[in-house]
Amino acid sequence: MENQEIKVQVNHLTKRFGDLLVLDDVSFNIKKGEFVCIVGPTGCGKTTFLNLLTRLIEPTEGEILIDGEPADPKKHSISFVFQEPSAFPWLTAQQNIEYGLKIKKRPAEEIAAQTEKIISLLGLEKYRHAYPHEMSVSMEQRVVIGRAFALNPDLLLMDEPYGQMDIKMRYYLEDEVVRLWKATGSTVLFITHNLEEATYLAERVLVLTNKPAKIKANIEVDLPRPRKVSDPEFIRIRKEITEMIKWW
Amino acid sequence: MKKNRSQARDIMLSVISILLLVAVWFLVSGSRPDFFPTPMATVERFIRLIEKPIMGVSVFGHVLASLRRVMLALIASIILGIGIGLVMGWNKKVRAAINPILMALRPIPPIAWIPLIILMFGVDEFPKVLLVFIGSFFPIVMNTMSGVALVDDMYLKVGKIYKAKTWQMLRHVVFPAAMPTILAGIKIAISSGWMVVVAAEMLSSRSGLGFLINRGRDSYDVALIMVAMILIGVVGALLSAVFTLIERKMCGWMSKE
C-alpha cells in the first residue's frame, strides 16, 4: 500500500458558517484506487464535509488536491452517490448509467463499452430498458451506483448509499460495490454510520469526532476478501472502531 | 383476461350513456321539432351539408379551417410559452420581472380582447389566430414555469456533480423533469384554444365551425347549429384523445399512479 501514489490530498480543511465551526483542520490522504470509509457521529458535519469535497461549497481554509493539483470541477471528475436513490425517472437503467459519460461527451465506443461493462457487473442485462418506477429502491440505487462508477471518476463519494436498505440487501450490495470498485480501480470515499459496513468494505477507516469534526483515528483494515463478519480479527477491528466512536 | 373484460364493460357503459343522451334528445325535441331538431333531422342536415357546401367550402373544409387556426396558434404558443416559461422557471430574476405582467394578463378572457384586436388588426386570419394564441399561451407558459421551478433539487445536484453545463442541465435534467407538467399545460391549451377559435369565428369569418353556427343562426337553420356544435364537441374530444396518446408516448417513464 505504501508505494501507491496519492490520489487525493486534503490539507487543513476548515469550514465555518459565521461563528459556527463545522470542520476543524481536517487533513488526510487517499491513495489511488483506495477504498476509504468515514464514520462519525450523526450531525458531525458530514454533509458539509462532502459538499466541500464535491466543491458544491468552498472551504474557509485549507485545500483539496487531486493528483497534486487543486481540485477543479473542470479538470477532475468527482462522482457522488446520495443516500436517497437519484436515478432520473425519465431514463431507463441503461440511459441512467450512460448519463455521466454523455454529459462528459466521451466517444460513443467508450460510452457503449463502459456501459456494457457496468451493466454486466451489476447483472442488469434483463432490466436495462426498465424505468426507475418499475424498479425496487435497491435496484434503483444499484443503477445510480453504476452511473457513478461508469465515469471512472477521480474520486467517488458515497453518502450512506445503503442507509435505507434492509440487512440482507445490504450484504448483497456491499459485495457488489466491492466488485465494482475492484473492476474499475476507482478511488472511493464511503460514508456510513454502520461500523460493521465500514469494517467490511474499507481498506482504511477514518473516524471523525463530534462537531467541529476532526479526524480522531485512522484505522487500517488489512483483512482478506471476501471478509467474514464472524472472523475474530474482523470482530476485533469492528470493536476497536466502536470504542473510538463512543460519543455517547 | 380480466383486463379485457373490464375494458369491454367500460366501452359498453360509454355506449349506453351516449344512447341515453340521444334518447333524451328524442324526447325533448319531439314537442317542438322546428325549435329543437330531432337527432334524425340533425343527421339529415349533416348529410346535406356534406353534399352541399356552404360558402364553397365542404363541411370538412370548415373543420380543417378551424383546426388550422388552432394549430398555427398552438405552434406559436408552444414555442413562446415553453421558451419564456423555461427562462422564468430557471431564473428567479426574470420570473420576478415577468410574473406580475402574466398574472395581470392571464385573468383577461380571450373574448375580452376581441374588440381591441379587431380595431387593431381587422377581421382577417391573423387576428383570429392571435385570439387563439392568447387563449393557449398562458396555460403553457404558467405550467412550464412552475414545472421548471419545481424540479426536484436532487436531480439538479446530480447534474451539478456531473458538471453539466447550463444548457446540458436544461436539456438533460430540467426539461425532461418538467415535461409532464409542460404537457399538461399544452393539453389545457389545446382545449382552451379550440373553444376560443369558435368564438373568434363567430365574430366574422367565412369558414370554420364558428362560422357555421353563425350561418345557422342567421338563416334560422337550427339543425345546422346542432351539427356544428356536435362537430365542435367531437373534434375537441378527438384532439384531446390524440394528445393523450402523444403524452403517453413522450412520458412513458411516468409511473401509473
Side-chain angles (χ1 to χ4, degrees), chain B residues 10 38 100 110 142 147 177 182 207 223 236:
Chain B
D10 288 356
T38 60
M142 296 318 272
I182 296 175
S207 63

Side-chain angles (χ1 to χ4, degrees), chain B:
Chain B
M1 239 353 232
K2 212 170 179 185
K3 204 181 162 194
N4 279 345
R5 266 176 62 183
S6 73
Q7 253 178 356
R9 185 199 60 206
D10 288 356
I11 291 171
M12 222 166 74
L13 286 173
S14 312
V15 171
I16 291 173
S17 74
I18 290 173
L19 287 177
L20 271 175
L21 182 70
V22 175
V24 171
W25 182 2
F26 256 116
L27 283 175
V28 174
S29 58
S31 52
R32 288 286 306 272
D34 54 328
F35 216 65
F36 190 4
T38 60
M40 289 309 292
T42 309
V43 171
E44 264 169 45
R45 185 67 188 89
F46 179 62
I47 292 165
R48 211 147 34 88
L49 192 60
I50 294 174
E51 288 165 352
K52 198 168 153 259
I54 294 182
M55 295 297 282
V57 183
S58 79
V59 62
F60 302 109
H62 286 292
V63 172
L64 283 180
S66 298
L67 276 176
R68 191 175 147 269
R69 288 169 190 139
V70 172
M71 287 305 150
L72 281 175
L74 263 182
I75 291 169
S77 28
I78 286 172
I79 293 170
L80 283 173
I82 292 180
I84 296 173
L86 209 57
V87 179
M88 284 177 74
W90 185 244
N91 189 314
K92 286 200 178 96
K93 283 179 201 155
V94 177
R95 195 184 321 163
I98 301 183
N99 211 17
I101 303 175
L102 286 185
M103 295 302 263
L105 291 180
R106 194 165 62 129
I108 304 174
I111 296 168
W113 288 86
I114 288 175
L116 187 64
I117 285 177
I118 288 180
L119 287 175
M120 286 169 87
F121 302 103
V123 289
D124 254 350
E125 264 320 276
F126 175 71
K128 295 186 189 72
V129 175
L130 182 60
L131 273 175
V132 180
F133 171 80
I134 293 171
S136 57
F137 170 73
F138 290 103
I140 299 180
V141 74
M142 296 318 272
N143 269 39
T144 306
M145 179 181 79
S146 50
V148 168
L150 294 176
V151 170
D152 195 334
D153 207 33
M154 168 79 74
Y155 303 138
L156 298 179
K157 272 202 232 161
V158 174
K160 249 183 230 164
I161 299 277
Y162 288 106
K163 306 296 174 305
K165 296 181 186 74
T166 303
W167 72 265
Q168 286 179 319
M169 195 78 138
L170 289 173
R171 161 83 183 72
H172 293 290
V173 180
V174 173
F175 196 61
M179 190 51 103
T181 325
I182 296 175
L183 290 179
I186 296 177
K187 199 169 185 178
I188 302 169
I190 290 176
S191 60
S192 141
W194 188 240
M195 283 192 242
V196 174
V197 78
V198 174
E201 286 165 351
M202 283 176 75
L203 276 173
S204 137
S205 183
R206 290 163 171 277
S207 63
L209 292 167
F211 159 73
L212 287 186
I213 292 185
N214 261 10
R215 174 52 69 96
R217 185 194 61 197
D218 294 345
S219 54
Y220 203 74
D221 187 347
V222 187
L224 178 61
I225 297 177
M226 298 291 293
V227 169
M229 283 177 71
I230 291 170
L231 280 174
I232 291 167
V234 170
V235 174
L238 281 177
L239 277 180
S240 163
V242 168
F243 191 74
T244 303
L245 288 180
I246 296 174
E247 207 176 9
R248 256 186 231 156
K249 183 96 186 141
M250 286 181 78
C251 283
W253 53 268
M254 273 176 70
S255 53
K256 289 156 198 76
E257 281 166 316

Side-chain angles (χ1 to χ4, degrees), chain A residues 106-135:
Chain A
R106 299 279 173 84
E109 314 85 70
E110 188 194 330
I111 295 179
Q114 191 66 6
T115 306
E116 275 320 300
K117 181 175 159 186
I118 297 290
I119 286 178
S120 88
L121 278 165
L122 291 169
L124 283 178
E125 288 90 347
K126 267 196 211 158
Y127 303 99
R128 62 170 75 221
H129 299 306
Y131 285 101
H133 78 88
E134 298 165 313
M135 304 174 191

